[in-house]
Amino acid sequence: MKNVAILGATGSIGLNTLAVMSLHPEKYNVFALTANNSWREMEKLCIKHMPKFVVMANEGAAESLRKVVPEGVIVLQGEGALNDIASHKNTDFVMAAIVGSAGLSSTFAAVTSGKRVMLANKESLVLGGNLLVAAAKESGAELIPVDSEHSAIFQCLQGGKQGLNKIQLTASGGPFLKTPIAELNKATPKQACAHPKWKMGQKISVDSATMMNKGLEVIEAHFLFQLSSSKIEVVIHPQSIIHSFVYFNDGSVLSQLGLPDMRSAISYALSYPSRQTSGVEELDLTKQTSLEFLSPDMDRFKCLGLAYDALEQGQSSPGTLNAANEVAVDAFLNKKIGFLDISKIIEKTLAIAPISRLDTLASVVENDYLSRQIARSVIEPSLS
Ligand code: NAD
Ligand code: MG
């Protein structure tokens, strides 16, 4: 029986993780659940799953939850408690599914304490990839990708990396693949979040619309698979049936296919190296009338180019890119800026922010903080 801590349990990945675990109660125990504010949703999860611990990042939410949870559930609060749960001696597996840089510190705590870390929170690798990979090596932690493309590549690389020429991440192209560019600045948060293939949280949905999601995934792949950016390509595949490709030097290309449903990747991260049922329907290829592949239009998807540039630049640049993106996406969701302003704000922030070496978690956090301040100051004039 594995004790699983789900960080970000009320989110899209968190709920899908609980759904997969519920199919295998003899293998997995819901040890701890965490969320930010949503204590009413957490109350329901507590009644259903009876975790030993719950952490609410927000103090007030923890107080409200404490009054209503079933007896036996211990409610903790704050980032320190998140880290304690991620590194708890009785935690075996950690699902890192908090959104954004807020997930960095708890992911780091899980990695340094040698857990199996099922990594959905790609932002933590973008911010502190070198540190996380080095910490995993030292502690013996397993970093298992949950992002569908990285799970696909991870599955294709079970025979090793020998002979690998390049990888190709597939991207759906999001809701604005064919929208005339001139109309894009009028795009509303609701339109940007209406992803044609995947049901996800708001932030990653906007990232998919700008293709920053794929940019972050290029950086994530660089750290996870230790590949230079020249060996990581992106191809648009609107049907989202093929979840990435690995090209080898004998002319073979391996890929992993499946319906666009995160439960497959989550299930594999839980059961690796074996497999188990996930609740995902079997793929029927006769129902897929066409599978298309297109090169991304870099004028339309400027964020993708910015991510490649930041990876090339290295050091603090990926962290700065991520921070500026989080600030810009938040401003867009709050209708303070237009959709096309997102890439402009990131570009300006990258041009202003100093590039520094990030050797410690504290320096990563400091760079994130400073970059956010710069991004906010870039947005301010456009508000006046
Ligand atoms: P979501 O918005 O649905 O859920 C986010 C979760 O994080 C919630 O439980 C929320 O309470 C918690 N949270 C938010 N801010 C927090 C904070 N400051 N402190 C502590 N907890 C906080 O997001 P999601 O779509 O489930 O995505 C989670 C992560 O997984 C993201 O990094 C995303 O990029 C990645 N991911 C998601 C998908 C998907 O299909 N949803 C696919 C691949 C990768
Ligand atoms: Mg993905």
Side-chain angles (χ1 to χ4, degrees):
M1 181 70 87
K2 297 294 181 193
N3 274 339
V4 182
I6 306 179
L7 315 181
T10 53
S12 160
I13 293 287
L15 294 174
N16 274 316
T17 306
L18 285 166
V20 175
M21 285 170 61
S22 300
L23 298 175
H24 305 282
E26 73 295 350
K27 290 193 204 167
Y28 309 113
N29 174 44
V30 180
F31 180 63
L33 299 177
T34 85
N36 192 22
N37 288 309
S38 43
W39 64 272
R40 288 201 180 274
E41 278 176 53
M42 186 57 94
E43 180 194 359
K44 289 184 205 143
L45 295 182
C46 287
I47 293 166
K48 192 161 172 202
H49 300 285
M50 286 300 291
K52 186 159 173 58
F53 295 104
V54 169
V55 182
M56 299 303 293
N58 178 295
E59 249 175 64
E63 258 170 51
S64 306
L65 184 66
R66 247 179 231 121
K67 294 183 188 135
V68 295
V69 280
E71 220 182 294
V73 178
I74 300 167
V75 180
L76 307 168
Q77 64 196 49
E79 192 169 63
L82 269 178
N83 298 346
D84 292 345
I85 287 302
S87 56
H88 194 285
K89 67 178 186 344
N90 293 338
T91 298
D92 298 306
F93 291 2
V94 174
M95 170 53 82
I98 290 175
V99 60
S101 63
L104 174 68
S105 155
S106 50
T107 303
F108 198 73
V111 169
T112 47
S113 51
K115 308 298 182 194
R116 169 174 295 196
V117 182
M118 305 181 282
L119 191 74
N121 177 241
K122 64 193 88 183
E123 295 91 342
S124 55
L125 265 187
V126 173
L127 283 163
N130 281 329
L131 283 178
L132 278 172
V133 169
K137 225 177 190 174
E138 202 178 313
S139 69
E142 296 173 288
L143 263 184
I144 317 263
V146 169
D147 221 342
S148 55
E149 299 77 3
H150 305 71
S151 172
I153 292 163
F154 182 68
Q155 293 181 48
C156 293
L157 289 180
Q158 286 307 301
K161 269 193 343 193
Q162 196 268 321
L164 182 149
N165 274 355
K166 67 176 184 186
I167 61 173
Q168 215 168 32
L169 302 174
T170 52
S172 69
F176 302 142
L177 181 59
K178 293 184 177 148
T179 312
I181 295 181
E183 286 176 24
L184 279 183
N185 218 31
K186 284 184 269 155
T188 63
K190 197 172 165 206
Q191 288 167 327
C193 289
H195 197 277
K197 291 289 168 194
W198 299 93
K199 279 198 204 87
M200 310 181 285
Q202 278 196 315
K203 190 258 175 185
I204 184 175
S205 296
V206 177
D207 286 350
S208 297
T210 61
M211 274 189 82
M212 178 56 93
N213 182 48
K214 212 50 53 180
L216 298 177
E217 289 183 0
V218 167
I219 301 172
E220 180 185 14
H222 160 77
F223 287 117
L224 274 177
F225 306 115
Q226 298 288 302
L227 297 172
S228 65
S229 63
S230 62
K231 292 193 169 187
I232 309 172
E233 293 179 358
V234 170
V235 64
I236 292 184
H237 166 46
Q239 293 76 21
S240 300
I241 293 296
I242 299 183
H243 302 309
S244 284
F245 298 98
V246 183
Y247 289 69
F248 290 94
N249 61 7
D250 60 358
S252 296
V253 183
L254 299 193
S255 67
Q256 182 256 350
L257 286 71
L259 290 170
D261 188 321
M262 288 308 293
R263 287 176 299 173
S264 294
I266 291 168
S267 178
Y268 190 67
L270 283 163
S271 66
Y272 170 80
S274 49
R275 290 185 185 272
Q276 63 189 7
T277 54
S278 66
V280 176
E281 206 185 309
E282 194 172 74
L283 174 65
D284 178 352
L285 280 169
T286 64
K287 286 188 185 150
Q288 303 297 325
T289 45
S290 70
L291 296 178
E292 299 164 277
F293 303 96
L294 323 156
S295 292
D297 172 352
M298 301 304 265
D299 286 330
R300 173 182 294 271
F301 297 115
K302 291 206 185 302
C303 286
L304 181 58
L306 291 171
Y308 269 105
D309 291 348
L311 177 56
E312 204 56 38
Q313 189 71 250
Q315 312 227 45
S316 55
S317 294
T320 300
L321 170 99
N322 181 71
N325 182 55
E326 288 190 24
V327 169
V329 169
D330 187 61
F332 170 70
L333 285 170
N334 288 301
K335 301 193 174 164
K336 290 182 179 158
I337 60 168
F339 182 75
L340 293 177
D341 295 330
I342 297 174
S343 65
K344 289 181 194 152
I345 287 156
I346 299 166
E347 191 172 8
K348 281 189 192 154
T349 305
L350 279 166
I352 298 169
I355 296 169
S356 54
R357 237 181 112 85
L358 305 179
D359 293 329
T360 60
L361 186 64
S363 61
V364 171
V365 172
E366 167 91 358
N367 180 62
D368 179 60
Y369 177 77
L370 285 176
S371 305
R372 279 167 193 276
Q373 279 190 325
I374 296 172
R376 284 193 198 103
S377 71
V378 170
I379 292 175
E380 276 311 316
S382 73
L383 294 177
S384 56

